[in-house]
Amino acid sequence: MGGGKALQAPSRRAVLGLLSSACILPGHALQAQAPARPGPGRGFGYEDVVERAKALAKQPFDAASATIPSELSKLTYDSYREVRFRRDKAFWREGGSDFRLLPFHLGFLHDKPVQIHLIDHGTAVPIPFTTGLFEYGKVPVPKGLSPALGFAGFTVTTNLNDPKVQDEVVSFLGASYFRLIGRGHRYGLSARSLALDVGGQQPEEFPFMRALWVEEPTPDTTELVIYALVDSPSVTAAFRYAVSPGLETHMDITATIIPRREIERIGIAPLTSMFQAGEGDLGLRTDFRPEIHDSDGLMMNSGSGEWIWRPLRNPKALRISSFHDKNPRGFGLMQRDREFGSYQDLEARYDARPGYWVQPQGDWGEGRIDLVEIPTDNEAFDNIVACWTPNIPLPTGQATELRYRISALSTTSLLHPYAQVHQSFAGSDIEDGVAEGQGRKRFIVDFAGGDLAYYQGAPDRLELVATTTGGAITTKILTYHAPLKGVRAIVDATLPDGQSAELRMFIKTRNRTLSETWTATWSVPPGDTARAQVPQAQPARQ
């Protein structure tokens, strides 16, 4: 993202397959090979990682240490796929815990070494690299690699779907990316620890994890605690992730962020996903599948309590939408459509991809939820980013602590009691009766759930509220939708050439709100404007 050249990469579902099958710190910052011993009377914990982040922030960024041997960086996609962790070597097999830890090998696109430590009785001991932990298939076993080499990341398995079967529940792989899934989920969108300059004027910067620490679980452990030290030219940070697997796996996160410079666009709790085609995108389909996406909407709960649904789109040009707020209560990229028939994909199973719901804790102040949508013609690329961006840049050289929870959800119906957007369409441009120099478009939104079924015998008591930030609303139609036990809202809007506007609509009865608010941005291009250059989507994983 950020205007950089797109890398050549395998298909996105192939990269996802790597996850399912499957950096040495600067010496002046931390002696990675030696056990990290806590101060007297306490075990190694988050405070120790924060101190390392603060010390690292006072020194120039060390790029040389974040490299790997050339024989590993030259691995191709196919050869890297041959390298797999030996499950019989999984950590914690003998401890009676339900958790297992399996590191990822360095190589191919995964070229940032990370030291992985196990915290055993208060002492953090690094896992030494050895080729004996991996199967190399047809790839020659590399020689002479240092025990301090590190790994690309790790995955953790547990009894997620069956008490007798180990399934992946969380993984950390690539830059500061991580994923978590709940019961019945397939890997889909990703979370990141930090995002810098997403959609900005300069190329995006990708902070990466230099070290990870994992508290060794006991037989009674139900919450796995992980720490991370994150670094980049512009920022250092410490993170604590507490993972609770289950029907809806959630992760409680504490972040301590220390900018090395003033960062205008710093993304907090960033989520990255893919959207190529939805129910109304007939022209974007590339094969028999009706829809192709990991997420179909941005859901928000504003600081004032309003629930908002913004359907995702695959735009013709880079589009950034900002939703200003103060102390937001929640936001997330969600996969609301769970019907297999909407996707017809037996391999990707987009119907089983989770949504990620972020719940800020404490005072996040004033800022905005940024939604970045990049055009793509290939599902191999992640082209959607959502994150919180503070209005005031975080203070340079000072530590700022933020807390939030990310939950992997199968449904949004339990988040609030209102009717939800079932589907929405942007119709063709309307030409009849439109004044010169203006554009007109029809929008169709179906609402269902909540208390709408109660009004099926008296739909005249329902009111469609529609507003626009530009142009005018010319038509409003509200019809009861019997198959959904909901309503269909139809709105025609006009807009002068060369302008854009934000359209909003919701359902109410008298002074009572009955639905969440649907919102979308639309624009009318100038009549003589040539087609703009189309930015390229980034590879699915950095």
Side-chain angles (χ1 to χ4, degrees):
M1 299 187 53
K5 180 186 288 186
L7 301 174
Q8 295 297 318
S11 73
R12 187 168 185 276
R13 64 180 60 188
V15 174
L16 295 180
L18 287 177
L19 270 175
S20 299
S21 63
C23 62
I24 303 173
L25 288 169
H28 55 259
L30 175 66
Q31 295 180 357
Q33 297 98 324
R37 303 191 181 280
R42 66 177 180 85
F44 184 91
Y46 183 58
E47 297 82 2
D48 299 282
V49 185
V50 171
E51 290 305 312
R52 283 159 171 75
K54 290 179 178 178
L56 199 58
K58 296 177 181 178
Q59 300 164 11
F61 174 71
D62 184 354
S65 62
T67 58
I68 61 174
S70 60
E71 66 264 38
L72 299 183
S73 60
K74 291 178 180 178
L75 288 175
T76 66
Y77 168 72
D78 289 330
S79 60
Y80 182 73
R81 222 181 149 187
E82 292 282 327
V83 184
R84 303 187 183 194
F85 188 84
R86 294 178 55 180
R87 284 185 170 261
D88 62 319
K89 300 292 186 181
F91 293 89
W92 310 327
R93 301 185 318 281
E94 309 299 332
S97 164
D98 288 336
F99 294 97
R100 305 286 184 271
L101 184 139
L102 297 79
F104 290 116
H105 201 288
L106 285 162
F108 184 48
L109 297 178
H110 307 300
D111 57 358
K112 291 289 192 294
V114 55
Q115 290 290 330
I116 301 175
H117 307 72
L118 302 182
I119 302 175
D120 182 17
H121 294 91
T123 300
V125 180
I127 300 176
F129 172 84
T130 171
T131 56
L133 294 174
F134 297 90
E135 298 174 346
Y136 289 84
K138 300 177 182 178
V139 177
V141 178
K143 305 294 184 182
L145 297 179
S146 168
L149 174 65
F151 301 89
F154 65 79
T155 188
V156 173
T157 65
T158 192
N159 308 121
L160 184 63
N161 298 295
D162 187 317
K164 297 181 181 179
V165 178
Q166 286 281 319
D167 294 311
E168 291 191 40
V169 66
V170 65
S171 66
F172 289 78
L173 180 64
S176 67
Y177 284 90
F178 60 91
R179 283 173 163 165
L180 63 155
I181 52 178
R183 195 164 299 155
H185 290 160
R186 300 284 188 93
Y187 277 128
L189 80 165
S190 298
R192 281 193 270 171
S193 301
L194 283 174
L196 303 183
D197 296 316
V198 176
Q201 297 299 315
Q202 56 190 10
E204 183 177 356
E205 182 179 312
F206 290 89
F208 62 94
M209 296 177 177
R210 285 195 179 270
L212 288 161
W213 293 263
V214 190
E215 292 187 0
E216 186 158 348
T218 69
D220 297 326
T221 296
T222 57
E223 179 185 79
L224 189 69
V225 178
I226 302 163
Y227 308 111
L229 178 63
V230 173
D231 193 17
S232 82
S234 300
V235 68
T236 69
F239 284 83
R240 181 184 188 272
Y241 315 89
V243 186
S244 298
L247 182 64
E248 295 180 344
T249 296
H250 66 260
M251 177 187 287
D252 289 314
I253 298 176
T254 301
T256 301
I257 305 167
I258 309 142
R260 283 191 169 100
R261 64 169 179 85
E262 183 174 295
I263 305 171
E264 182 180 353
R265 298 180 68 93
I266 184 167
I268 307 298
L271 307 176
T272 303
S273 191
M274 181 277 295
F275 184 95
Q276 182 179 343
E279 60 259 11
D281 301 321
L282 299 178
L284 297 176
R285 298 178 186 174
T286 57
D287 50 37
F288 67 95
R289 294 172 295 172
E291 301 182 42
I292 306 170
H293 52 75
D294 280 337
S295 309
D296 54 11
L298 170 65
M299 191 172 187
M300 295 169 280
N301 184 16
S302 71
S304 65
E306 182 183 21
W307 287 89
I308 304 168
W309 178 258
R310 169 64 176 270
L312 298 179
R313 288 291 177 260
N314 183 358
K316 293 181 180 180
L318 172 69
R319 184 167 69 181
I320 302 175
S321 305
S322 295
F323 302 86
H324 294 267
D325 202 0
K326 181 178 181 180
N327 294 325
R329 302 183 186 183
F331 68 92
L333 291 175
M334 316 305 293
Q335 186 77 315
R336 181 171 281 182
D337 189 342
R338 314 299 297 184
E339 295 294 329
F340 173 79
S342 297
Y343 309 96
Q344 292 293 337
D345 196 320
L346 290 169
E347 182 182 355
R349 291 301 306 273
Y350 289 116
D351 58 298
R353 304 292 173 94
Y356 285 174
W357 181 244
V358 177
Q359 295 171 279
Q361 298 175 6
D363 187 350
W364 278 28
E366 296 185 359
R368 63 188 186 272
I369 296 169
D370 283 331
L371 174 64
V372 181
E373 298 166 295
I374 299 177
T376 185
D377 58 3
N378 194 325
E379 65 192 291
F381 299 104
D382 278 351
N383 63 320
I384 305 294
V385 176
C387 60
W388 171 259
T389 303
N391 275 355
I392 301 176
L394 302 186
T396 301
Q398 299 182 34
T400 299
E401 183 178 286
L402 295 168
R403 297 173 182 266
Y404 55 99
R405 169 177 286 191
I406 297 180
S407 301
L409 305 181
S410 298
T411 179
T412 60
S413 63
L414 302 179
L415 291 178
H416 64 66
Y418 305 107
Q420 299 195 352
V421 174
H422 180 74
Q423 59 186 358
S424 61
F425 306 90
S428 301
D429 294 340
I430 303 172
E431 298 182 359
D432 294 342
V434 180
E436 184 177 353
Q438 285 195 332
R440 182 180 179 189
K441 187 179 286 290
R442 170 162 287 186
F443 298 88
I444 303 168
V445 181
D446 291 342
F447 293 91
D451 209 21
L452 289 183
Y454 172 79
Y455 292 92
Q456 59 186 317
D460 57 310
R461 296 187 63 178
L462 300 178
E463 179 185 351
L464 168 60
V465 180
T467 58
T468 179
T469 59
I473 304 293
T474 59
T475 303
K476 293 194 303 180
I477 302 172
L478 189 62
T479 304
Y480 195 75
H481 194 317
L484 288 180
K485 294 184 178 180
V487 296
R488 170 162 291 178
I490 300 175
V491 169
D492 294 342
T494 61
L495 192 64
D497 289 355
Q499 294 190 17
S500 62
E502 191 82 11
L503 187 65
R504 293 163 54 94
M505 65 178 84
F506 67 94
I507 310 301
K508 63 176 289 190
T509 178
R510 297 179 180 173
N511 62 349
R512 179 181 168 213
T513 298
L514 295 178
S515 76
E516 62 190 9
T517 300
W518 172 93
T519 182
T521 296
W522 74 295
S523 60
V524 178
D528 59 350
T529 299
R531 185 175 181 178
Q533 290 287 330
V534 177
Q536 296 296 311
Q538 285 291 84
R541 300 289 169 262
Q542 292 294 320

